[in-house]
Amino acid sequence: MRNVKSSKQRNIWFERFMAITAAVNLGLVLFDLSYVPWRDLYLRKLPQIVEIYDPIKGIERHRETKNYLELVKALEEQVSQTGLQSPQVNSRLEEIRRLSNEMIDTNPFAGVNKSGTLEKIKKRMRDRIHNESAKQSFATFWSQSYLSQKGWVQEINFFNDSIRPLIASNYYRKIGENGEFVDDFWVIDLFFVILFGVELLGRTFLLRRQHPGLSWLEAVLWRWYDLFLLLPFWRWLRIIPIVIRLDQARLLNLHPVRRQLNQGIVANFAEELTEIVVVRVINQIQGSIQRGELTSWLSQQENLRPYIDINNVNEVEAIAGLLVKTIVYQVLPDIQPAIVAILRHNIETVLHQVPVYRNLQNLPGVGQAQTQLSEQLATQITTNLYKTLVNAVEDPVGAKLTSQLVESFTKVLGSQIKERHVLSEIQSLLFDFLEEIKLNYVQRLSQEDIDQIIEQTRKLRTQTSVPVVVDKGNTLPKIREG
């Protein structure tokens, strides 16, 4: 027992380790998917990560925007050395104005779908200079007169805070021989894919040992969700096996989610399934009526599919016999006083309708004698009828005669029903009756509160089940009494 417990403990720790490893892999996958769209954010908040991860995505600083920012940096150094009004500064400002016009004309941001960034740069510069033309705004901003008038420190700080980060966010991304952007994330992901592949092979081997009847394909599909961990594309689908693994490793409780998910699925399909099943059954019955199978059954033709009997017992006759015995031995004795009262009332009613008897009512003692007579007659009639029924049930000859009566009644009734006009009318009425059921009741079935039904079944499952005792001499379970 201790060895089994220790084995389970090791297994749960292995499951947790692999689940956490898969979660780490998913985190890297999500980071990789978000890197290009969110690179500007990473560049502002985590520039060290950008330096490390740019080569993996084949990203380099764009040559034009890189030269532009380097020239601005050189301008800052020149101003600090020779002052703003020096010829060297004027020469550098002239070069920056030229590059500004080239940046607006060539739009080096378009290659990576960042044209919006250039528009943002132009707008901020127009707002700063209060000019409608972006080129004229850049020409004015990078002039000695403007920088002297507005203040070099103030304006260069504006550029470094509002314009430089936007220009620095531009980049160039390499394109491989396949025509796609270079993306070396697969090198990082390959380690995880190999690990999960080896794990899947090991699990498949163990499943084959535990279940020798499984084929290799069936053993692999046993954990079908792990196949998503091996896909080199659609890597975001790995969230499916990772969530399942976290639940299996008891690091995440998905029972409430599964319960709500199952309830939602059942609620969505229950209405349609109810209508489909019930309507299909009714349609099959209507089809049988239209095909004349009711006539064939009444005629007891041999071409009908043979009836399958599983216990050599006529269940209809057995049920009828059981009902008769229940009525005779249990029901009738209990209701005999009520039957006597009804008969006595009817006898008194009949006697009161006789003129002679009404005249005798005036004689003393006759009324009381009439009451006693009615009581005795009602009791005697009821007793005799009950004895007759008991004798008919217990007497073999009576039982045989009763059986013959029932058989004769069935034959006569069947022969009369088989009359064409009667049978045709019955078929028509049955068909219309089933159609009315579809129209009136099937929709009502589907409109029941499915959520309430699901809640009721959930309560049934959570209740303590009734203990079952199996009789070794019988294959059917018996419910323990008491």
Side-chain angles (χ1 to χ4, degrees):
M1 181 63 70
R2 182 175 299 175
N3 292 334
V4 173
K5 185 176 181 179
S6 176
S7 176
K8 289 183 177 180
Q9 190 71 15
R10 289 195 302 270
N11 183 60
I12 191 64
W13 281 112
F14 173 77
E15 293 291 345
R16 289 178 177 177
F17 171 77
M18 294 305 299
I20 294 174
T21 303
V24 171
N25 176 242
L26 178 62
L28 291 175
V29 168
L30 295 179
F31 170 76
D32 179 75
L33 293 175
S34 69
Y35 183 76
V36 173
W38 293 359
R39 182 179 178 275
D40 291 354
L41 177 64
Y42 295 137
L43 183 63
R44 291 195 303 270
K45 304 296 184 181
L46 301 168
Q48 298 83 1
I49 292 181
V50 173
E51 293 180 5
I52 297 172
Y53 210 76
D54 269 358
I56 296 174
K57 305 300 286 186
I59 292 176
E60 298 177 350
R61 296 181 64 185
H62 197 281
R63 185 181 297 109
E64 294 183 24
T65 51
K66 176 184 177 183
N67 291 338
Y68 190 95
L69 295 179
E70 288 179 349
L71 187 58
V72 173
K73 185 177 181 180
L75 173 65
E76 293 182 70
E77 294 176 354
Q78 189 68 49
V79 169
S80 64
Q81 294 175 2
T82 62
L84 182 60
Q85 300 299 328
S86 66
Q88 295 86 347
V89 169
N90 185 50
S91 175
R92 292 189 183 278
L93 288 173
E94 188 176 318
E95 181 67 15
I96 293 175
R97 288 195 295 269
R98 184 185 66 81
L99 291 180
S100 298
N101 289 335
E102 286 185 3
M103 181 174 66
I104 295 174
D105 290 335
T106 60
N107 187 10
F109 298 83
V112 288
N113 298 320
K114 292 178 66 68
S115 296
T117 302
L118 178 60
E119 293 301 320
K120 190 181 295 184
I121 294 171
K122 290 158 62 176
K123 181 179 183 302
R124 290 184 180 182
M125 189 60 74
R126 287 196 302 265
D127 293 341
R128 186 71 175 181
I129 305 301
H130 304 292
N131 195 305
E132 295 297 328
S133 172
K135 289 185 178 181
Q136 291 180 5
S137 297
F138 271 100
T140 301
F141 183 85
W142 296 118
S143 64
Q144 286 179 320
S145 59
Y146 176 81
L147 293 174
S148 299
Q149 179 183 359
K150 297 294 184 180
W152 161 255
V153 176
Q154 177 181 334
E155 295 305 306
I156 199 64
N157 287 338
F158 160 75
F159 178 84
N160 289 333
D161 294 338
S162 301
I163 305 299
R164 178 183 286 273
L166 296 177
I167 297 177
S169 68
N170 189 37
Y171 59 88
Y172 167 77
R173 192 170 181 188
K174 296 178 182 179
I175 298 178
E177 296 180 356
N178 58 357
E180 301 291 337
F181 288 122
V182 171
D183 188 351
D184 292 333
F185 176 73
W186 66 269
V187 177
I188 301 175
D189 192 52
L190 182 61
F191 165 77
F192 294 95
V193 171
I194 293 175
L195 176 63
F196 297 135
V198 172
E199 181 204 13
L200 182 59
L201 287 177
R203 290 182 184 274
T204 302
F205 178 75
L206 290 177
L207 285 172
R208 286 265 298 165
R209 289 185 58 185
Q210 295 172 358
H211 308 278
L214 291 178
S215 65
W216 282 103
L217 178 60
E218 291 172 337
V220 170
L221 293 179
W222 189 291
R223 292 179 64 92
W224 57 269
Y225 47 86
D226 283 343
L227 295 176
F228 290 116
L229 296 172
L230 309 181
L231 295 179
F233 49 87
W234 299 341
R235 294 187 178 101
W236 54 271
L237 288 175
R238 297 181 186 181
I239 191 172
I240 297 174
I242 290 169
V243 169
I244 296 175
R245 282 169 171 260
L246 290 174
D247 180 60
Q248 293 174 344
R250 302 175 192 170
L251 297 174
L252 185 66
N253 183 14
L254 291 182
H255 178 70
V257 177
R258 286 199 305 268
R259 184 177 63 186
Q260 294 299 325
L261 182 62
N262 293 337
Q263 180 172 340
I265 294 174
V266 172
N268 288 332
F269 288 101
E271 181 175 340
E272 289 80 2
L273 288 176
T274 301
E275 291 183 355
I276 292 172
V277 172
V278 177
V279 170
R280 184 171 182 179
V281 171
I282 294 176
N283 287 340
Q284 289 178 344
I285 297 174
Q286 288 178 320
S288 299
I289 294 173
Q290 287 181 328
R291 290 190 298 269
E293 293 181 4
L294 178 61
T295 306
S296 302
W297 177 74
L298 291 172
S299 302
Q300 297 182 354
Q301 294 180 355
E302 295 297 330
N303 58 355
L304 282 177
R305 186 165 49 188
Y307 182 78
I308 300 175
D309 192 350
I310 62 173
N311 55 5
N312 296 322
V313 175
N314 189 326
E315 287 80 4
V316 176
E317 292 183 2
I319 292 172
L322 182 61
L323 289 175
V324 168
K325 291 181 180 180
T326 302
I327 292 172
V328 170
Y329 291 116
Q330 298 180 14
V331 177
L332 288 180
D334 290 340
I335 65 172
Q336 185 174 356
I339 297 175
V340 170
I342 293 174
L343 288 176
R344 186 182 63 191
H345 171 72
N346 290 327
I347 292 172
E348 291 177 351
T349 302
V350 173
L351 290 176
H352 279 294
Q353 293 176 355
V354 179
V356 176
Y357 179 78
R358 286 201 300 267
N359 295 328
L360 293 176
Q361 284 289 95
N362 298 323
L363 298 177
V366 174
Q368 184 179 0
Q370 178 266 331
T371 302
Q372 295 176 354
L373 177 62
S374 300
E375 181 76 25
Q376 292 177 358
L377 284 174
T379 303
Q380 191 66 33
I381 292 172
T382 304
T383 303
N384 291 337
L385 286 175
Y386 181 71
K387 288 181 179 180
T388 302
L389 288 174
V390 172
N391 292 333
V393 172
E394 296 180 347
D395 184 14
V397 178
K400 183 177 180 181
L401 293 174
T402 303
S403 177
Q404 292 176 353
L405 174 62
V406 172
E407 183 179 356
S408 176
F409 173 79
T410 303
K411 288 182 179 179
V412 173
L413 179 62
S415 63
Q416 293 299 320
I417 289 178
K418 284 187 292 184
E419 294 293 332
R420 183 160 299 274
H421 68 282
V422 177
L423 185 59
S424 176
E425 186 173 356
I426 291 175
Q427 289 178 334
S428 177
L429 290 172
L430 279 176
F431 188 89
D432 293 341
F433 174 68
L434 292 172
E435 192 68 26
E436 290 176 358
I437 289 178
K438 284 196 294 187
L439 295 175
N440 292 282
Y441 297 103
V442 174
Q443 186 178 6
R444 187 182 305 171
L445 283 173
S446 63
Q447 289 177 345
E448 286 191 54
D449 189 354
I450 299 300
D451 292 334
Q452 184 178 0
I453 295 175
I454 295 174
E455 185 63 27
Q456 291 174 356
T457 51
R458 184 185 301 163
K459 289 180 180 178
L460 288 176
R461 290 198 303 267
T462 56
Q463 289 176 351
T464 305
S465 58
V466 179
V468 176
V469 178
V470 178
D471 185 359
K472 295 183 179 180
N474 195 342
T475 58
L476 296 178
K478 296 181 179 179
I479 302 299
R480 181 184 298 169
E481 297 179 357

